[in-house]
Amino acid sequence: KFKNYNVEYIPPTINLKKFNTIKNHENKKIINIGWTGTYSSIKYIDSIKAIIQKISKKRKINFVLIGNFEYQIEGVNTINIKWSSLNEIKDLMNIDIGIYPVFNDEWTLGKSGLKSLQFMALGIPTIATNIGNIKNIIKNNYNGYLVNDHKEWEIALLNLIDDSNKRKLFGNRSREIIYKCYSNDVISKKYLEVFNKVYVD
């Protein structure tokens, strides 16, 4: 027989003792657009490769990829950094604008948006595809950008590339959201609330 179950969603958590620094945004001649992930997620980078190429013809940028594989975008200065737990924070701090491109499919609907949370915890403004749980994390044009197509990707990237004050504003607001909603202390309390609701018959 089927039983009725109560379901509680608990978001991923960020250890602010580890993510304990914040990006100092300033006017720069070259802006680093960055992504982090594994080879299994390469399809997401492929999906916006043309946008990065287009942006590189209009502005001076680097594309920073932190992962377990090498990747190049033709016509774009690409910096590959091998992911390591030891250097994770230092490597992420090289990024001025974080990107989180995904697809509109069932797999994405189950993703937590952790990569974006990591960017945001360090005060790095993030641009993400407007799909799935990320809509609960980023408030469009307040602490980041949610985009729906290539044109919106281009506009959002150019806006942040050209405006260090907006990068700083979005970054500070992002850090605040992480502190209030996604820190270890906050999420541990959510777990306790759920456990306290459980009764053994």
Side-chain angles (χ1 to χ4, degrees):
K1 293 181 178 179
F2 291 101
K3 296 181 179 180
N4 293 325
Y5 293 95
N6 292 323
V7 177
E8 297 276 352
Y9 170 73
I10 299 178
T13 181
I14 295 292
N15 182 359
L16 292 181
K17 291 182 180 179
K18 178 180 179 181
F19 287 76
N20 60 357
T21 186
I22 188 166
K23 183 78 177 183
N24 180 26
H25 294 283
E26 55 189 15
N27 289 319
K28 296 176 61 179
K29 292 183 179 180
I30 302 177
I31 297 296
N32 292 335
I33 298 169
W35 178 90
T36 180
T38 62
Y39 184 78
S40 63
S41 301
I42 195 172
K43 58 188 177 181
Y44 301 128
I45 294 301
D46 287 339
S47 72
I48 64 162
K49 182 165 60 176
I51 294 300
I52 301 299
Q53 289 173 319
K54 188 174 183 180
I55 292 293
S56 72
K57 294 177 180 178
K58 297 182 176 183
R59 301 292 189 274
K60 293 181 179 181
I61 66 167
N62 296 319
F63 181 69
V64 178
L65 185 147
I66 304 171
N68 62 350
F69 63 98
E70 294 286 319
Y71 191 87
Q72 296 293 327
I73 300 179
E74 184 177 355
V76 179
N77 186 38
T78 306
I79 301 171
N80 286 279
I81 300 175
K82 186 176 181 180
W83 183 89
S84 75
S85 177
L86 181 63
N87 296 320
E88 182 176 28
I89 305 301
K90 176 176 69 68
D91 293 337
L92 286 170
M93 290 295 286
N94 288 314
I95 295 172
D96 300 302
I97 301 169
I99 59 172
Y100 182 66
V102 292
F103 297 145
N104 186 5
D105 55 23
E106 290 187 1
W107 180 258
T108 295
L109 294 178
K111 290 173 73 68
S112 66
L114 179 60
K115 294 184 182 73
S116 292
L117 290 175
Q118 291 178 325
F119 289 139
M120 294 167 68
L122 298 173
I124 300 170
T126 303
I127 305 172
T129 307
N130 188 24
I131 297 295
N133 187 56
I134 195 65
K135 294 189 290 185
N136 297 317
I137 300 171
I138 293 178
K139 182 178 179 182
N140 188 45
N141 203 25
Y142 177 79
N143 64 336
Y145 284 117
L146 296 173
V147 295
N148 297 286
D149 53 37
H150 278 195
K151 185 60 178 178
E152 291 185 5
W153 270 105
E154 180 182 356
I155 292 171
L157 282 166
L158 289 175
N159 282 346
L160 288 177
I161 289 170
D162 292 342
D163 193 340
S164 62
N165 289 327
K166 178 161 284 189
R167 294 199 303 272
K168 182 176 181 179
L169 178 63
F170 282 9
N172 288 338
R173 287 173 174 173
S174 294
R175 174 73 178 186
E176 184 179 359
I177 288 292
I178 299 301
Y179 180 81
K180 289 182 177 179
C181 302
Y182 299 97
S183 68
N184 282 356
D185 289 342
V186 171
I187 300 303
S188 64
K189 291 177 182 177
K190 289 184 179 294
Y191 274 105
L192 287 174
E193 289 173 2
V194 172
F195 290 148
N196 288 333
K197 292 179 182 178
V198 177
Y199 295 93
V200 179
D201 292 335

